[in-house]
Coordinates of all heavy atoms in Angstrom, one line a residue:
K1 N 3.0 -11.1 -0.9 CA 2.0 -12.2 -0.9 C 0.9 -11.8 0.0 O -0.2 -12.3 -0.1 CB 2.6 -13.5 -0.4 CG 3.6 -14.1 -1.4 CD 4.1 -15.4 -1.0 CE 5.1 -15.9 -2.0 NZ 5.6 -17.3 -1.5
I2 N 1.1 -10.9 1.0 CA 0.0 -10.5 1.9 C -1.0 -9.6 1.2 O -0.6 -8.6 0.6 CB 0.6 -9.8 3.1 CG1 1.6 -10.6 3.9 CG2 -0.5 -9.2 4.0 CD1 2.2 -10.0 5.0
K3 N -2.2 -10.1 1.1 CA -3.3 -9.3 0.5 C -4.3 -8.8 1.4 O -4.9 -7.8 1.2 CB -4.0 -10.2 -0.6 CG -3.1 -10.6 -1.7 CD -3.8 -11.4 -2.8 CE -2.8 -11.8 -3.8 NZ -3.5 -12.6 -4.8
Y4 N -4.4 -9.4 2.6 CA -5.4 -9.0 3.6 C -4.7 -9.0 5.0 O -3.8 -9.9 5.2 CB -6.5 -10.0 3.6 CG -7.3 -9.9 2.4 CD1 -7.1 -10.7 1.3 CD2 -8.4 -8.9 2.2 CE1 -7.9 -10.7 0.1 CE2 -9.1 -8.8 1.1 CZ -8.9 -9.7 0.0 OH -9.6 -9.6 -1.1
L5 N -5.2 -8.1 5.9 CA -4.7 -8.1 7.2 C -5.9 -8.5 8.2 O -7.1 -8.2 7.9 CB -4.3 -6.7 7.7 CG -3.0 -6.2 6.9 CD1 -2.9 -4.7 7.3 CD2 -1.8 -7.0 7.3
R6 N -5.5 -9.1 9.3 CA -6.5 -9.3 10.4 C -6.7 -8.0 11.1 O -5.9 -7.1 11.0 CB -6.0 -10.3 11.4 CG -5.8 -11.7 10.8 CD -5.2 -12.7 11.7 NE -3.9 -12.2 12.2 CZ -3.2 -12.6 13.2 NH1 -3.8 -13.5 14.0 NH2 -2.1 -12.1 13.5
I7 N -7.8 -7.9 11.8 CA -8.1 -6.7 12.6 C -7.0 -6.5 13.6 O -6.5 -5.3 13.7 CB -9.4 -6.8 13.4 CG1 -10.6 -6.7 12.4 CG2 -9.6 -5.7 14.4 CD1 -11.9 -6.9 13.0
K8 N -6.4 -7.5 14.2 CA -5.4 -7.3 15.2 C -4.1 -6.7 14.5 O -3.5 -5.8 15.1 CB -5.0 -8.7 15.7 CG -3.8 -8.7 16.7 CD -3.5 -10.1 17.2 CE -2.3 -10.1 18.0 NZ -1.9 -11.4 18.4
D9 N -3.8 -7.1 13.3 CA -2.6 -6.6 12.6 C -2.8 -5.1 12.3 O -1.9 -4.3 12.4 CB -2.3 -7.4 11.4 CG -1.9 -8.9 11.7 OD1 -1.4 -9.1 12.9 OD2 -2.1 -9.7 10.9
F10 N -4.0 -4.8 11.7 CA -4.3 -3.4 11.3 C -4.2 -2.5 12.6 O -3.7 -1.4 12.5 CB -5.6 -3.4 10.7 CG -6.0 -2.0 10.1 CD1 -5.6 -1.8 8.7 CD2 -6.6 -1.1 10.7 CE1 -5.9 -0.6 8.1 CE2 -6.9 0.2 10.1 CZ -6.5 0.4 8.8
A11 N -4.8 -3.0 13.7 CA -4.7 -2.3 14.9 C -3.3 -2.0 15.4 O -2.9 -0.9 15.9 CB -5.5 -3.0 16.0
E12 N -2.4 -2.9 15.3 CA -1.0 -2.8 15.7 C -0.3 -1.8 14.8 O 0.5 -1.0 15.4 CB -0.3 -4.1 15.6 CG -0.7 -5.1 16.7 CD 0.1 -6.4 16.6 OE1 1.0 -6.6 15.7 OE2 -0.3 -7.3 17.3
I13 N -0.6 -1.7 13.5 CA 0.1 -0.8 12.7 C -0.3 0.7 13.1 O 0.6 1.5 13.1 CB -0.4 -1.0 11.2 CG1 0.2 -2.3 10.7 CG2 0.0 0.2 10.3 CD1 -0.3 -2.8 9.4
F14 N -1.5 0.9 13.5 CA -2.0 2.3 13.8 C -2.0 2.5 15.3 O -2.5 3.6 15.7 CB -3.3 2.6 13.1 CG -3.2 2.7 11.7 CD1 -3.5 1.7 10.8 CD2 -2.6 3.9 11.1 CE1 -3.4 1.8 9.5 CE2 -2.5 4.0 9.7 CZ -2.9 2.9 8.9
N15 N -1.6 1.6 16.1 CA -1.6 1.7 17.5 C -3.0 1.9 18.1 O -3.2 2.9 18.9 CB -0.6 2.7 18.0 CG -0.3 2.6 19.5 OD1 -0.3 1.5 20.1 ND2 0.1 3.7 20.1
L16 N -3.9 1.2 17.5 CA -5.3 1.3 18.0 C -5.8 0.0 18.7 O -5.1 -1.0 18.5 CB -6.3 1.4 16.7 CG -6.1 2.7 15.8 CD1 -6.9 2.5 14.6 CD2 -6.5 3.9 16.6
H17 N -6.8 0.1 19.4 CA -7.4 -1.1 20.0 C -8.2 -1.9 18.9 O -8.8 -1.3 18.0 CB -8.3 -0.7 21.2 CG -8.7 -1.9 22.0 ND1 -9.8 -2.7 21.8 CD2 -8.2 -2.4 23.2 CE1 -9.8 -3.6 22.7 NE2 -8.9 -3.5 23.6
K18 N -8.2 -3.2 19.0 CA -9.0 -4.1 18.1 C -10.4 -3.7 18.0 O -11.0 -3.6 16.9 CB -8.9 -5.5 18.4 CG -7.5 -6.1 18.3 CD -7.4 -7.6 18.7 CE -7.9 -7.9 20.0 NZ -7.8 -9.3 20.4
Q19 N -11.0 -3.3 19.1 CA -12.4 -2.9 19.1 C -12.6 -1.7 18.4 O -13.6 -1.5 17.7 CB -12.9 -2.8 20.6 CG -14.4 -2.6 20.7 CD -15.2 -3.7 20.1 OE1 -14.9 -4.9 20.2 NE2 -16.3 -3.4 19.4
T20 N -11.7 -0.7 18.4 CA -11.8 0.5 17.7 C -11.8 0.3 16.2 O -12.6 0.8 15.5 CB -10.6 1.5 18.1 OG1 -10.6 1.7 19.5 CG2 -10.7 2.7 17.3
V21 N -10.9 -0.7 15.7 CA -10.9 -1.0 14.4 C -12.2 -1.7 13.9 O -12.8 -1.3 12.9 CB -9.7 -1.9 14.0 CG1 -9.7 -2.4 12.6 CG2 -8.4 -1.3 14.3
S22 N -12.8 -2.5 14.8 CA -14.1 -3.1 14.5 C -15.1 -2.1 14.3 O -16.0 -2.2 13.4 CB -14.4 -4.1 15.6 OG -13.6 -5.2 15.6
V23 N -15.2 -1.0 15.2 CA -16.2 0.0 15.1 C -16.0 0.8 13.8 O -16.9 1.1 13.1 CB -16.1 0.9 16.3 CG1 -16.9 2.2 16.1 CG2 -16.5 0.2 17.6
L24 N -14.7 1.1 13.4 CA -14.4 1.9 12.2 C -14.9 1.0 11.0 O -15.4 1.6 10.0 CB -13.0 2.2 12.1 CG -12.5 3.2 13.1 CD1 -11.0 3.3 13.1 CD2 -13.1 4.6 12.9
I25 N -14.8 -0.3 11.0 CA -15.3 -1.1 9.9 C -16.8 -1.0 9.8 O -17.3 -0.9 8.8 CB -14.8 -2.6 10.1 CG1 -13.3 -2.7 9.9 CG2 -15.5 -3.5 9.1 CD1 -12.7 -4.0 10.2
R26 N -17.5 -1.2 11.0 CA -19.0 -1.1 11.0 C -19.4 0.3 10.5 O -20.5 0.3 9.9 CB -19.5 -1.5 12.3 CG -19.4 -3.0 12.6 CD -20.2 -3.4 13.8 NE -19.9 -2.7 15.0 CZ -18.9 -3.0 15.9 NH1 -18.2 -4.1 15.6 NH2 -18.7 -2.3 17.0
E27 N -18.7 1.3 10.8 CA -19.1 2.7 10.4 C -18.8 3.0 9.0 O -19.1 4.0 8.4 CB -18.5 3.7 11.3 CG -18.9 3.7 12.7 CD -18.2 4.7 13.6 OE1 -17.1 5.3 13.2 OE2 -18.7 4.9 14.7
G28 N -18.0 2.1 8.3 CA -17.6 2.2 6.9 C -16.4 3.1 6.7 O -16.1 3.5 5.6
K29 N -15.7 3.4 7.7 CA -14.5 4.2 7.6 C -13.2 3.4 7.2 O -12.3 4.0 6.8 CB -14.2 5.0 9.0 CG -15.4 6.0 9.3 CD -15.1 6.7 10.5 CE -16.4 7.6 10.8 NZ -16.2 8.3 12.0
I30 N -13.4 2.1 7.4 CA -12.3 1.2 7.0 C -13.0 0.1 6.1 O -14.0 -0.5 6.6 CB -11.5 0.5 8.1 CG1 -10.8 1.6 9.0 CG2 -10.6 -0.6 7.6 CD1 -10.2 1.0 10.2
N31 N -12.5 -0.1 4.9 CA -13.0 -1.1 4.0 C -12.6 -2.5 4.6 O -11.4 -2.7 4.8 CB -12.6 -0.9 2.6 CG -13.2 0.3 2.0 OD1 -14.3 0.7 2.4 ND2 -12.5 1.0 1.2
A32 N -13.4 -3.4 4.6 CA -13.1 -4.8 5.0 C -14.0 -5.8 4.4 O -15.1 -5.5 3.9 CB -13.2 -4.9 6.6
V33 N -13.6 -7.1 4.4 CA -14.4 -8.2 3.8 C -14.6 -9.1 5.0 O -13.7 -9.5 5.7 CB -13.5 -8.8 2.7 CG1 -14.3 -10.0 2.2 CG2 -13.1 -7.9 1.6
K34 N -15.9 -9.4 5.1 CA -16.3 -10.5 6.1 C -16.2 -11.8 5.5 O -16.6 -12.1 4.4 CB -17.7 -10.2 6.6 CG -18.1 -11.1 7.8 CD -19.4 -10.6 8.3 CE -19.7 -11.3 9.6 NZ -20.9 -10.9 10.2
I35 N -15.5 -12.7 6.3 CA -15.2 -14.0 5.8 C -16.5 -14.9 5.9 O -17.1 -14.9 7.0 CB -14.1 -14.7 6.5 CG1 -12.8 -13.9 6.3 CG2 -13.9 -16.2 6.1 CD1 -11.6 -14.4 7.0
Y36 N -16.9 -15.4 4.8 CA -18.2 -16.2 4.8 C -18.2 -17.3 5.8 O -17.3 -18.1 6.0 CB -18.4 -16.9 3.4 CG -19.6 -17.6 3.2 CD1 -20.8 -17.0 3.1 CD2 -19.6 -19.0 3.2 CE1 -22.0 -17.7 2.9 CE2 -20.8 -19.8 3.1 CZ -21.9 -19.1 3.0 OH -23.1 -19.8 2.8
G37 N -19.3 -17.4 6.6 CA -19.5 -18.4 7.6 C -18.9 -18.1 8.9 O -18.9 -19.0 9.8
T38 N -18.2 -17.0 9.1 CA -17.6 -16.7 10.3 C -17.9 -15.3 10.7 O -18.6 -14.5 10.1 CB -16.0 -16.8 10.3 OG1 -15.5 -15.7 9.4 CG2 -15.6 -18.1 9.7
T39 N -17.3 -14.8 11.9 CA -17.5 -13.5 12.3 C -16.2 -12.7 12.0 O -16.1 -11.5 12.4 CB -17.8 -13.4 13.8 OG1 -16.7 -14.0 14.5 CG2 -19.1 -14.0 14.1

């Protein structure tokens, strides 16, 4: 049933910091979807 992960969950899987995952998303190295009306 899980279709999407939060940044925190993705970071835990790969033993990364949440900020590192955020940077990878902004650089386009990780595909992600921004939730409308939020950050």
Side-chain angles (χ1 to χ4, degrees):
K1 292 181 181 181
I2 297 175
K3 294 182 182 180
Y4 294 94
L5 295 171
R6 297 176 298 164
I7 288 177
K8 177 182 176 183
D9 296 333
F10 192 88
E12 286 178 9
I13 291 170
F14 290 100
N15 198 25
L16 298 170
H17 192 276
K18 294 183 300 183
Q19 187 62 36
T20 301
V21 175
S22 296
V23 170
L24 291 170
I25 289 170
R26 286 194 302 276
E27 290 177 350
K29 295 180 181 177
I30 296 175
N31 295 323
V33 178
K34 190 169 187 177
I35 298 177
Y36 181 74
T38 69
T39 59

